[in-house]
């Protein structure tokens, strides 16, 4: 660049205005050619808006559990709710079939607890974030019910069937959760590749 600052400034103004000529300093031409103007604020706002919409949609999709996990969790939730409502509505009949005395208080509380457990299992069908809590809560109880059901084999067939179904669904819930986590951890790698 030239030693005269006023001349250099005039050359810069001419080049930026599109009036540069052959007498213009090569450094000024190079600087003008490599200068990148700032993007207009409206364009930046549209880009930010689009990125927000895209990231929100991706977050929403990534929080949805897979079909297998949703199905198993929903069926286990239904089994727990049926078990709970059965205890509330037919507790005396269940006690008679088991040959045990009927006590309304524990049947009522147990029925409400099972319905709450059903809600906990249903949470895994709705959100991947809640699935871990659902699995940690529902799987051990479902497996425990399944194992306890073997004591009812020759005594109360309906109880055995319900407990066996809950036990199998508890195991399936843990496996479906593991499968869903495995698939969810792979998804970003495949998209980025």
């Amino acid at each position: 660049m030239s030693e005269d600052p006023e001349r250099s400034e005039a050359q810069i103004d001419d080049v930026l205005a599109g009036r540069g000529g052959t007498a213009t300093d090569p450094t000024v031409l190079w600087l003008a050619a490599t200068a990148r103007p700032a993007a207009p604020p409206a364009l930046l706002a549209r880009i930010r808006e689009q990125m927000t919409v895209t990231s929100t949609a991706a977050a929403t999709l990534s929080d949805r559990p897979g079909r297998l996990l949703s199905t198993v969790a929903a069926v286990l939730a239904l089994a727990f709710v049926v078990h709970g409502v059965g205890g509330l509505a037919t507790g005396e009949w269940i006690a008679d079939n088991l040959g045990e005395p009927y006590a309304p208080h524990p049947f009522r509380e147990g029925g409400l607890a099972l319905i709450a457990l059903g809600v906990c299992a249903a949470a895994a069908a709705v959100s991947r974030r809640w699935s871990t809590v659902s699995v940690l809560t529902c799987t051990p109880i479902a497996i425990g019910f399944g194992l306890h059901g073997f004591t009812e084999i020759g005594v109360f067939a309906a109880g055995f069937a319900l407990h066996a179904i809950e036990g199998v669904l508890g195991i399936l819930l843990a496996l479906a959760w593991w499968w869903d986590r495995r698939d969810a951890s792979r998804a970003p790698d495949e998209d980025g590749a």
Side-chain angles (χ1 to χ4, degrees):
M1 287 185 60
S2 70
E3 298 286 325
D4 183 15
E6 288 180 19
R7 183 168 179 227
S8 294
E9 193 172 327
Q11 283 184 354
I12 291 171
D13 289 341
D14 286 344
V15 168
L16 291 178
R19 296 185 304 264
T22 55
T24 307
D25 188 303
T27 305
V28 173
L29 290 173
W30 177 78
L31 288 171
T34 59
R36 292 190 174 100
L43 174 63
L44 293 175
R46 283 191 317 215
I47 291 170
R48 264 189 240 105
E49 179 183 329
Q50 185 62 38
M51 290 179 69
T52 303
V53 168
T54 304
S55 64
T56 303
T60 302
L61 286 175
S62 68
D63 191 43
R64 291 185 184 148
R67 185 175 293 170
L68 178 64
L69 178 59
S70 292
T71 303
V72 172
V75 174
L76 181 59
L78 179 64
F80 281 146
V81 169
V82 166
H83 194 164
V85 170
L88 289 171
T90 63
E92 195 168 350
W93 176 75
I94 293 170
D96 287 343
N97 280 290
L98 291 173
E100 297 177 359
Y102 173 64
H105 185 87
F107 269 96
R108 233 184 344 266
E109 288 181 356
L112 293 173
L114 282 164
I115 292 169
L117 194 59
V119 171
C120 182
V126 175
S127 171
R128 185 173 273 143
R129 286 178 296 173
W130 298 338
S131 64
T132 303
V133 172
S134 293
V135 170
L136 291 174
T137 304
C138 298
T139 297
I141 294 172
I143 292 172
F145 279 148
L147 293 173
H148 179 71
F150 284 106
T151 64
E152 298 180 10
I153 284 180
V155 180
F156 186 41
F160 166 71
L162 179 61
H163 289 308
I165 289 169
E166 289 169 337
V168 169
L169 287 171
I171 293 168
L172 288 176
L173 181 67
L175 293 173
W177 173 82
W178 172 78
W179 187 271
D180 188 67
R181 289 290 170 171
R182 188 185 71 132
D183 286 351
S185 66
R186 281 187 188 171
D189 295 337
E190 292 171 0
D191 290 343

